[in-house]
Amino acid sequence: MSGEKRPLRLLGLHGYRQNQRSFHERTGALRKALRGRAELVSVSAPHPVRGPAAEHGGGAGRSPEPQDAEPRGWWFSRPREETFDALEEAAACKGLDESLDAVARALAEHGPFDGLLGFSQGAALAALLCALQQRGDARFPFEFAILVAGFKSRAAPHSGYYREPIAVPSLHVLGDTDRVIPPGLSRELASHFVDPAVLTHPGGHFVPAAAPQKRAYLEFLAKFLK
């Protein structure tokens, strides 16, 4: 036996208007950076997103996320229109329960997974999953979460997820020039976690994987290698 540690397995949760395939393509540099240390396996959100790309996850005044073929979303802040805005103080929302079921199914069918890696709306979802896991929800077995361009959901039905500090180990990645999810929103989400690790990068709304970020990812993941 070589004694070599097995690579960690991460479940990838894509951003609004993305899907499993497009997220796989957009995380190529990250997957290369983590080769031998971690494997990223992504899953598509259950809800098709319809309508023009202007109805993006960033809200008015921010750069829209690129339109992918077969765009998907984890939930909608406007149930009737089935659109989403990260800054919308929504009294109601639609679709989260189906997304929780989809993630639980992926964890059961393709697991075990050591952690989650979420981007944008997928990172917001990952934070909700961390809260559920902390409450003892056995559907979501994982040890840590990496949240890239994450934000706190402003949907009123989700407020209860943030009432208690979330003790799941977390790395929060934010871009200084992100105009879709401004870095202040990611810092706000990090403030709901116990002892969060925070990684900043000079870029915008993407999953960074240059040398400085690679070092930070590997340092964080080293805590969980067995």
Side-chain angles (χ1 to χ4, degrees), residues 10 30 34 116-124 144-151 170-178 181-191 193 196-210 212-218 220-221:
L10 309 178
L30 175 68
L34 300 182
L116 306 178
L117 188 148
F119 173 67
S120 199
Q121 194 190 41
F144 61 87
I146 299 175
L147 312 176
V148 183
F151 54 89
S170 60
L171 172 63
H172 301 257
V173 184
L174 46 135
D176 288 334
T177 56
D178 191 335
I181 302 298
L185 297 184
S186 297
R187 293 187 184 280
E188 178 190 30
L189 177 62
S191 74
F193 283 76
V198 177
L199 167 63
T200 61
H201 66 94
H205 196 63
F206 59 86
V207 180
Q213 293 91 52
K214 177 181 176 180
R215 286 194 296 272
Y217 292 135
L218 295 180
F220 177 77
L221 293 172

Side-chain angles (χ1 to χ4, degrees), residues 88-145:
E88 186 163 20
E89 303 277 353
C93 63
K94 176 182 179 180
L96 179 62
D97 287 343
E98 294 86 348
S99 291
L100 296 179
D101 289 343
V103 173
R105 190 161 52 249
L107 289 167
E109 293 178 0
H110 305 295
F113 287 95
D114 300 283
L116 306 178
L117 188 148
F119 173 67
S120 199
Q121 194 190 41
L125 174 65
L128 304 182
L129 295 168
C130 289
L132 285 170
Q133 191 220 72
Q134 180 167 283
R135 295 178 187 176
D137 194 323
R139 295 177 297 166
F140 305 113
F142 56 88
E143 294 185 66
F144 61 87

